Amino acid sequence: MPPSPPAPRLLLLLALLIACAASGVGCSAPRFAQLDRLRELHQRERRPAAEQVDAARGLLARLLPSHSASFEFRVVSTEQCGGKACFIINNHPSFDGEATPEILILGASGVEISAGLHWYLKNYCAAHISWAKTGGSQLSSVPYPGSLPRVPAGGILIQRPVDWSYYQNAVTSSYSFAWWDWERWEKEIDWMALQGINLPLAFTGQETIWQKVFQRYNISKSDLDDFFGGPAFLSWSRMANMHGWGGPLPQTWLDDQLTLQKKILSRMYAFGMSPVLPAFSGNIPAALKLKFPSAKVTHLGNWFTVDSNPRWCCTYLLDASDPLYVEIGKLFIEEQIREYGRTSHVYNCDTFDENTPPLSDPNYISSLGAATFRAMQSGDDDAIWLMQGWLFTYDPFWEPPQMKALLHSVPVGRMIVLDLYAEVKPVWINSDQFYGVPYIWCMLHNFAADFEMYGILDAVASGPIDARLSEKSTMVGVGMSMEGIEQNPIVYDLMSEMGFHHRQVDLQVWVETYPTRRYGKSVVGLQDAWRILHQTLYNCTDGKNDKNRDVIVAFPDVEPFVIQTPGLCTRTSKNYSTMPSENSVVRDASNDAYDQPHIWYDTIAVIHALELFLEYGDEVSDSNTFRYDLVDLTRQALAKYANQIFLKIIQGYKSNNINQVTTLCERFLNIVEDLDVLLASHEGFLLGPWLESAKGLARDHEQEIQYEWNARTQITMWFDNTETKASLLRDYANKYWSGLLRDYYGPRAAIYFKHLISSLKKKEPFALEEWRREWISLTNNWQSDMKVFTTTATGDTLNISRALDIKYLRNADSLGLDGMDSFGKPASL
């Protein structure tokens, strides 16, 4: 008898092996015995297959309820995937009509099944998944039940090239998640599963665990009131950067967050994820130092407070060499396991994140690292230390001897490092693969959840592949480590795929198909527009941090003469009294902190892309994803235009041209007002939801006041100030949100312009002190205000954008000092 034909799954595995060999692409990740042990634990302790299938089916019912009967899901072993995590998509063998399953998706876990569902919808139904604020999901292209596209005979097998897809940054919980309830968290966990995330941070509610631990040392709730930060600033009190700011935390907050964390963990585990819990980093309340006066405690220095204000700064760090360190660390791990009922054995600890060690001796550094890990291991013998590698990028203290000492302070394989900013400043390249320590290639991309159309798509498409295939690679995963989410959906759409790609992505093809998937319709003009955006906005190669410093949202707090105006020849004039006051530049330290807005692309090309959006927009004007992109692109173009207007204002001031200054100041303020109208036309650009969600977590009016103050403060002044000294972190978390521009950014700019014009009229130096006094007062009053802002979008995005294009951008060439009249009359909105 002839031999039986090989089973379809075997054919898939053989095809994968042949493809890897033929392309020269390695299909296996580096092996570390301790991480092999972790994989075994995760598989053994994972929730039952039926529960993982139920989790995936629940996701499908929430995402695409009309197709709940169109898919069947099954969990399979990694052996059936060739020894790695994978998903397999097949045509269902029993399909015979509309009421029966059409597609069968097999996966090594609920996450793999969900990622397989996303892969199918994306690549066979031209669908698109993104956050609700960035337009949500485009599923109109999915055919009706009974007519779903078939996959090739034999099915599709997608195997992970590396084990882990990591998600979050230590501060994402404050910049993006601070005010989330379970309804919002459920949507995010669904999004994670669809993107294949299997290693997410799970930091919610940890203050309640700390409260229980410190109670064992007779530390009271009132003692902790000065230790924990407020709800919008918990990330930084956790990292020992500050204490008490925005607090105290009500007991109801602590209790509610712990309840929320249990729901979060339960759902993550149901999908088969491995949530990362926090570990003890040495950060202790001041009261503990008083109770243990002989303990080795370091009083840390100032972290961005004005005048080193001890009310908020200079926290206490327990030395890892002190016996109390291991004791507290053990209790914290054990208390989490007791409270949550289980653990994934992976713990995040960043003892030196923006906190430089007191000594540079490698032996000392090694002893600190060993003790930090010992504290974890004493609470969980199978503990793995996950550490953000930001310190190696941020702090010049970490030379190779110090870096090696920390990385080698624990057994190899018991620490995983996040190469946090690998798309711009990869550490693995210059550290000999983190000196043999396993790491995860991460894309940082965003700071403080600000708004900037920015990315490095080419680095995202190739960087993880190059790192994995490099000689002696120790890469074990890919990750998204942004400080804030809900922006630049194209970047995250691509990055989430990199957990499943074995070879570099063909970006030309990928970008060409992106607008079809995002908008649900193929429009050649929009494809052309996105090619331009790929080559400009999403092709930043200058190696600079992209922190949005547009003048509108990050107004310069300096004298006008400090602001550089390239190409300006200041004419000689007898009206020299507008010159800077004597030695002002030397005396004013804040002048050194002025950041020029980041520009890395051809703005004219981007305006052309916008014109294509406007020309072809009618074909997809009913698409929420298109409307989001149109608002964002128009905002991007107008914000850079406003930067140029501002420089012309400063030029006019330096040239004593009061007519130019007055005209352009009015124009700048008009742009701010018009931008607010534009932003109001899409739910993703509203201030109201941020404030209302903060108040929504309050139990009484007093908490509403506190939580709203936290929410308003984070996006404006951020930290402390005096009457004439602004916070050193002002505008760090700036936002292009309707309501914020109209009520705060516009009035702030108007104060500065008032003093500019007054200086010219009175022929006196710019009143820097008075400007600061007024705008700081404006800010503090705004922080404490309780004005209600809408949570509902209003206006026709396409018509508003077209009007603004006519009003401003088509006349952008008229910015010269001569011919100011060519601005013409403002177009009506």
Side-chain angles (χ1 to χ4, degrees), residues 246-403:
L249 290 178
Q251 187 62 46
T252 54
W253 170 275
L254 295 169
D255 297 340
D256 291 346
Q257 290 293 293
L258 181 61
T259 300
L260 179 60
Q261 170 75 337
K262 290 179 179 179
K263 290 183 178 180
I264 292 168
L265 290 175
S266 178
R267 184 59 59 82
M268 287 179 172
Y269 285 129
F271 274 111
M273 297 179 185
S274 301
V276 179
L277 297 176
F280 181 46
S281 64
N283 183 25
I284 59 171
L288 192 72
K289 180 180 182 296
L290 297 176
K291 293 184 184 297
F292 294 89
S294 61
K296 293 182 182 178
V297 176
T298 300
H299 197 191
L300 297 176
N302 183 34
W303 187 85
F304 292 113
T305 65
V306 173
D307 298 331
S308 299
N309 189 337
R311 177 68 185 84
W312 320 115
C313 89
C314 311
T315 56
Y316 293 96
L317 195 70
L318 180 63
D319 196 295
S321 63
D322 192 290
L324 190 60
Y325 188 103
V326 173
E327 180 181 310
I328 294 174
K330 177 177 183 290
L331 287 174
F332 183 60
I333 297 293
E334 290 177 340
E335 187 63 40
Q336 289 186 97
I337 296 174
R338 179 166 34 252
E339 194 71 46
Y340 305 142
R342 61 171 299 179
T343 175
S344 294
H345 310 290
V346 184
Y347 303 94
N348 170 253
C349 181
D350 298 307
T351 303
F352 306 116
D353 192 4
E354 302 190 14
N355 287 319
T356 302
L359 299 175
S360 61
D361 179 13
N363 291 327
Y364 173 75
I365 300 294
S366 180
S367 68
L368 293 184
T372 300
F373 178 67
R374 192 159 59 249
M376 296 180 208
Q377 193 177 28
S378 61
D380 178 358
D381 191 53
D382 295 305
I384 299 291
W385 180 359
L386 182 75
M387 183 181 72
Q388 289 193 152
W390 178 245
L391 70 170
F392 303 133
T393 301
Y394 174 86
D395 193 342
F397 168 89
W398 295 97
E399 297 288 342
Q402 289 74 31
M403 187 176 174

Side-chain angles (χ1 to χ4, degrees), residues 122-142:
K122 187 176 193 175
N123 293 286
Y124 288 88
C125 301
H128 175 77
I129 307 291
S130 70
W131 294 292
K133 280 194 174 181
T134 59
S137 299
Q138 186 289 112
L139 299 169
S140 63
S141 60
V142 180

Side-chain angles (χ1 to χ4, degrees), residues 286-579:
L288 192 72
K289 180 180 182 296
L290 297 176
K291 293 184 184 297
F292 294 89
S294 61
K296 293 182 182 178
V297 176
T298 300
H299 197 191
L300 297 176
N302 183 34
W303 187 85
F304 292 113
T305 65
V306 173
D307 298 331
S308 299
N309 189 337
R311 177 68 185 84
W312 320 115
C313 89
C314 311
T315 56
Y316 293 96
L317 195 70
L318 180 63
D319 196 295
S321 63
D322 192 290
L324 190 60
Y325 188 103
V326 173
E327 180 181 310
I328 294 174
K330 177 177 183 290
L331 287 174
F332 183 60
I333 297 293
E334 290 177 340
E335 187 63 40
Q336 289 186 97
I337 296 174
R338 179 166 34 252
E339 194 71 46
Y340 305 142
R342 61 171 299 179
T343 175
S344 294
H345 310 290
V346 184
Y347 303 94
N348 170 253
C349 181
D350 298 307
T351 303
F352 306 116
D353 192 4
E354 302 190 14
N355 287 319
T356 302
L359 299 175
S360 61
D361 179 13
N363 291 327
Y364 173 75
I365 300 294
S366 180
S367 68
L368 293 184
T372 300
F373 178 67
R374 192 159 59 249
M376 296 180 208
Q377 193 177 28
S378 61
D380 178 358
D381 191 53
D382 295 305
I384 299 291
W385 180 359
L386 182 75
M387 183 181 72
Q388 289 193 152
W390 178 245
L391 70 170
F392 303 133
T393 301
Y394 174 86
D395 193 342
F397 168 89
W398 295 97
E399 297 288 342
Q402 289 74 31
M403 187 176 174
K404 285 181 184 178
L406 179 59
L407 294 174
H408 291 167
S409 64
V410 302
V412 174
R414 298 302 289 263
M415 174 191 283
I416 301 174
V417 184
L418 301 176
D419 198 351
L420 209 70
Y421 202 8
E423 84 277 23
V424 176
K425 299 176 181 179
V427 175
W428 69 267
I429 292 177
N430 297 317
S431 63
D432 193 18
Q433 306 278 352
F434 285 92
Y435 304 110
V437 171
Y439 73 94
I440 293 175
W441 193 103
C442 291
M443 177 191 76
L444 178 54
H445 182 255
N446 177 270
F447 292 91
D450 64 8
F451 290 79
E452 179 91 279
M453 292 187 76
Y454 157 84
I456 317 174
L457 294 185
D458 291 77
V460 170
S462 62
I465 309 299
D466 293 341
R468 182 174 58 83
L469 298 180
S470 61
E471 186 178 0
K472 297 180 180 179
S473 174
T474 58
M475 175 181 157
V476 295
V478 296
M480 295 181 279
S481 56
M482 64 283 119
E483 289 192 349
I485 63 169
E486 298 174 325
Q487 36 74 31
N488 288 291
I490 188 173
V491 176
Y492 297 88
D493 193 33
L494 175 62
M495 185 62 217
S496 65
E497 284 188 15
M498 299 313 296
F500 298 97
H501 282 301
H502 290 255
R503 288 178 285 183
Q504 292 184 10
V505 176
D506 185 337
L507 270 185
Q508 183 176 348
V509 174
W510 194 93
V511 171
E512 184 175 337
T513 60
Y514 177 77
T516 300
R517 291 188 286 105
R518 180 142 170 88
Y519 308 139
K521 187 176 182 180
S522 179
V523 180
V524 173
L526 295 178
Q527 290 176 334
D528 292 340
W530 273 104
R531 287 192 197 96
I532 295 171
L533 298 182
H534 168 215
Q535 296 161 5
T536 53
L537 295 174
Y538 294 105
N539 186 35
C540 181
T541 57
D542 61 11
K544 295 181 180 179
N545 297 350
D546 187 67
K547 183 71 197 73
N548 194 313
R549 306 311 293 173
D550 288 338
V551 176
I552 290 175
V553 296
F555 207 89
D557 180 28
V558 292
E559 285 198 358
F561 277 94
V562 172
I563 300 169
Q564 296 181 3
T565 49
L568 173 70
C569 297
T570 306
R571 68 171 182 262
T572 304
S573 172
K574 294 181 180 179
N575 298 329
Y576 53 83
S577 57
T578 58
M579 291 294 288

Side-chain angles (χ1 to χ4, degrees), residues 674-805:
D674 288 344
L675 262 177
D676 198 273
V677 173
L678 170 73
L679 298 171
S681 69
H682 194 280
E683 290 82 356
F685 297 92
L686 302 180
L687 169 63
W690 173 253
L691 301 182
E692 292 304 309
S693 60
K695 290 185 288 185
L697 297 185
R699 293 288 196 91
D700 54 41
H701 184 60
E702 183 179 346
Q703 289 181 14
E704 283 188 358
I705 294 172
Q706 179 189 5
Y707 296 178
E708 182 165 1
W709 183 91
N710 267 255
R712 286 170 174 259
T713 296
Q714 188 201 92
I715 60 177
T716 53
M717 192 62 78
W718 207 108
F719 213 179
D720 66 328
N721 61 265
T722 67
E723 287 187 358
T724 56
K725 288 184 179 180
S727 164
L728 300 175
L729 293 172
R730 63 189 179 275
D731 295 325
Y732 183 80
N734 64 68
K735 299 289 184 291
Y736 277 101
W737 279 341
S738 175
L740 190 58
L741 273 73
R742 181 183 65 247
D743 273 36
Y744 178 64
Y745 292 141
R748 178 174 63 176
I751 294 172
Y752 193 87
F753 295 153
K754 177 187 71 175
H755 286 290
L756 271 184
I757 295 170
S758 175
S759 170
L760 289 172
K761 286 181 176 179
K762 295 179 181 179
K763 300 179 181 179
E764 295 176 352
F766 181 80
L768 184 64
E769 188 90 350
E770 286 307 308
W771 139 252
R772 286 178 173 162
R773 191 181 305 276
E774 286 189 52
W775 86 261
I776 290 173
S777 175
L778 168 77
T779 307
N780 293 160
N781 289 336
W782 194 88
Q783 290 168 259
S784 300
D785 198 6
M786 296 287 287
K787 178 179 177 180
V788 175
F789 293 86
T790 184
T791 59
T792 305
T794 57
D796 185 312
T797 298
L798 189 55
N799 286 339
I800 294 171
S801 181
R802 282 170 172 162
L804 295 182
D805 178 53

Side-chain angles (χ1 to χ4, degrees), residues 115-267:
L117 172 64
H118 185 194
W119 190 277
Y120 175 79
L121 293 174
K122 187 176 193 175
N123 293 286
Y124 288 88
C125 301
H128 175 77
I129 307 291
S130 70
W131 294 292
K133 280 194 174 181
T134 59
S137 299
Q138 186 289 112
L139 299 169
S140 63
S141 60
V142 180
Y144 291 118
S147 56
L148 289 178
R150 310 286 282 173
V151 300
I156 300 164
L157 181 145
I158 303 294
Q159 188 186 62
R160 287 186 187 267
V162 285
D163 288 299
W164 287 293
S165 287
Y166 168 81
Y167 184 57
Q168 293 180 43
N169 184 295
V171 301
T172 319
S173 56
S174 290
Y175 283 132
S176 292
F177 308 159
W179 312 116
W180 285 6
D181 56 12
W182 169 243
E183 181 181 359
R184 180 60 187 87
W185 263 111
E186 182 175 54
K187 293 176 182 177
E188 189 69 10
I189 297 171
D190 282 353
W191 183 90
M192 292 183 202
L194 289 163
Q195 312 304 325
I197 303 299
N198 59 9
L199 194 67
L201 288 187
F203 275 15
T204 303
Q206 63 177 278
E207 282 67 31
T208 320
I209 305 295
W210 280 120
Q211 184 183 45
K212 293 174 183 291
V213 170
F214 287 131
Q215 280 175 348
R216 301 191 186 194
Y217 297 95
N218 295 318
I219 302 298
S220 67
K221 170 69 167 63
S222 60
D223 292 328
L224 294 175
D225 284 347
D226 188 50
F227 179 59
F228 299 140
F233 301 96
L234 287 174
S235 293
W236 300 278
S237 62
R238 291 167 181 170
M239 294 189 293
N241 300 137
M242 60 160 69
H243 63 92
W245 180 250
L249 290 178
Q251 187 62 46
T252 54
W253 170 275
L254 295 169
D255 297 340
D256 291 346
Q257 290 293 293
L258 181 61
T259 300
L260 179 60
Q261 170 75 337
K262 290 179 179 179
K263 290 183 178 180
I264 292 168
L265 290 175
S266 178
R267 184 59 59 82

